[in-house]
Amino acid sequence: MKFETLMLRGLFAACLLVSGLILVAMMSASPEAIRLAAKGSAGQLLIAAPNSCMLPPDGVVCPRNYN
């Protein structure tokens, strides 16, 4: 076989290996939000949520409390 053919096959194998490792990492990852939703209660989710609007309140994006 030619040297170029061996290089291309090696590159293909390396790319396939890296792609497979990335796929396995994505499938086995479990972010904090998913763990809270899977085994937590509503109280824990509310504690993790921000308690104020992150944007300036304008009445549309962040509803104002008119009491």
Side-chain angles (χ1 to χ4, degrees), residues 1 6 9 13 23 32 41 43-44 50-51 53-54 62-64:
M1 276 197 241
L6 289 174
R9 286 187 181 180
L23 181 65
E32 183 68 27
S41 67
Q44 288 176 332
N51 58 359
C53 186
M54 303 309 275
C62 298
R64 293 182 184 178

Side-chain angles (χ1 to χ4, degrees), residues 48-62:
N51 58 359
S52 64
C53 186
M54 303 309 275
L55 299 172
D58 61 358
V60 177
V61 176
C62 298

